[in-house]
Amino acid sequence: MHIAVCDDNIADRKQTERLLGRASDRRLHTTGVLYIDSYGNVEAVLRSPMLYDAFFIDMTNGPVNGFQLARKLIDAGVVAPIVLCISTIDYPSVIEAALAKVPDDVTEASNHDILRRQLKKQILYLNKPIKVSELDAMLDHAQSLKAETIPTIELRGEKDTLYVHEDEILYAVKSGNYLHVVLTEGRTLDILSTLPNLHAQLAMFTHFVIISEHCLVNITSVQKLSLLKLTMKDGQGFSVSPLELPKIKKALKGECRS
């Protein structure tokens, strides 16, 4: 697991690092090594938050406290557990007050309802000084969530970065130096990449196929294949390279079996 520690108290940060290092030694032959990155400021931990399987946070001296950093992580798309380590700030009371301000929406899938559930379930607490048994319990929880989590794909545009699941990508089309990526719900994003590079990034996923030198598709989003033309579920059609045709047919048959 990859763990981020963010604490603006240097002594506390070092102590948390030591405790996690010892926990890593204990887990070497069971759940595996813990890779620990340590930060003393908000900007640093927000650069690549999706790398981490758990966060241990206590920020008390700057303009952004630990809870506000947790909100920023959630807004950035983080789904990993965020452990707020309690020293001078009573984080449970802060979050209880924040929850009281979240409006009650009628629909279960509303943004407010999602936020409420995230604040209740995603944020955990540890009292300082941290006890080894309580730290181990948090790590066990993070490990179990990691095993259940559906992996996400990072798509980095010039201004926006999206973290999406495999079935959210329909296809990607070469457009100059960019790839025009089409997603579900009418979303699109232009990323500075090549088809081979994107295909390599998606190597752990089984449904992406390059159909020509210009296009990569998610085979689950294909509506039909006729002669050398492939039609997607959104109605978009693409020419298929004859060289890629056997691979496409094989992929489509595999999808039908599943």
Side-chain angles (χ1 to χ4, degrees):
M1 285 196 301
H2 288 77
I3 309 293
V5 176
C6 192
D7 195 319
D8 52 12
N9 182 306
I10 297 176
D12 284 0
R13 186 167 72 247
K14 294 297 183 183
Q15 175 63 5
T16 304
E17 289 177 45
R18 283 192 289 269
L19 291 172
L20 287 169
R22 293 168 189 166
S24 180
D25 293 339
R26 293 193 299 273
R27 292 165 180 266
L28 183 61
H29 300 295
T30 54
T31 55
V33 175
L34 301 179
Y35 299 94
I36 305 156
D37 290 330
S38 185
Y39 302 98
N41 63 79
V42 170
E43 292 76 16
V45 77
L46 286 174
R47 285 182 192 136
S48 301
M50 304 303 288
L51 292 175
Y52 299 106
D53 302 303
F55 297 81
F56 289 83
I57 294 172
D58 186 24
M59 303 293 286
T60 61
N61 299 316
V64 176
N65 64 34
F67 168 63
Q68 291 167 327
L69 173 55
R71 280 295 310 273
K72 288 179 179 291
L73 290 169
I74 290 172
D75 291 342
V78 166
V79 296
I82 300 169
V83 183
L84 296 179
C85 302
I86 303 169
S87 56
T88 59
I89 297 177
D90 182 5
Y91 289 119
S93 296
V94 171
I95 291 181
E96 184 178 348
L99 284 169
K101 296 178 182 179
V102 178
D104 291 323
D105 284 9
V106 176
T107 57
E108 182 178 348
S110 69
N111 289 335
H112 290 146
D113 187 69
I114 291 171
L115 173 60
R116 186 182 295 105
R117 283 187 275 120
Q118 285 178 305
L119 291 178
K120 287 182 177 179
K121 294 183 179 180
Q122 194 172 346
I123 296 180
L124 307 170
Y125 308 102
L126 271 181
N127 288 309
K128 289 183 177 179
I130 297 172
K131 296 179 180 178
V132 171
S133 60
E134 294 177 354
L135 177 64
D136 280 337
M138 294 296 174
L139 293 173
D140 288 341
H141 177 67
Q143 184 70 47
S144 66
L145 289 180
K146 176 178 170 61
E148 298 172 359
T149 300
I150 301 172
T152 56
I153 300 161
E154 181 183 82
L155 298 175
R156 189 179 293 274
E158 287 190 336
K159 295 182 179 180
D160 300 315
T161 299
L162 299 180
Y163 296 91
V164 300
H165 297 299
E166 178 183 13
D167 58 2
E168 293 182 84
I169 299 177
L170 302 182
Y171 49 86
V173 182
K174 185 177 178 181
S175 178
N177 293 326
Y178 291 85
L179 291 179
H180 182 66
V181 182
V182 177
L183 306 161
T184 54
E185 301 178 354
R187 296 169 297 161
T188 63
L189 184 69
D190 291 331
I191 63 174
L192 185 60
S193 185
T194 64
L195 282 179
N197 285 344
L198 179 60
H199 193 242
Q201 181 186 347
L202 302 172
M204 68 176 293
F205 303 94
T206 59
H207 292 139
F208 294 100
V209 180
I210 292 178
I211 65 168
S212 71
E213 63 180 5
H214 301 291
C215 183
L216 171 149
V217 304
N218 185 332
I219 212 71
T220 65
S221 298
V222 172
Q223 183 173 330
K224 66 178 180 179
L225 174 65
S226 56
L227 295 178
L228 293 178
K229 183 178 180 181
L230 188 149
T231 304
M232 306 301 293
K233 290 180 179 178
D234 66 350
Q236 179 66 51
F238 297 109
S239 297
V240 175
S241 166
L243 297 176
E244 304 295 345
L245 190 58
K247 178 175 63 178
I248 296 166
K249 288 182 176 179
K250 183 178 178 180
L252 284 170
K253 287 180 180 178
E255 176 59 25
C256 289
R257 285 197 298 272
S258 64

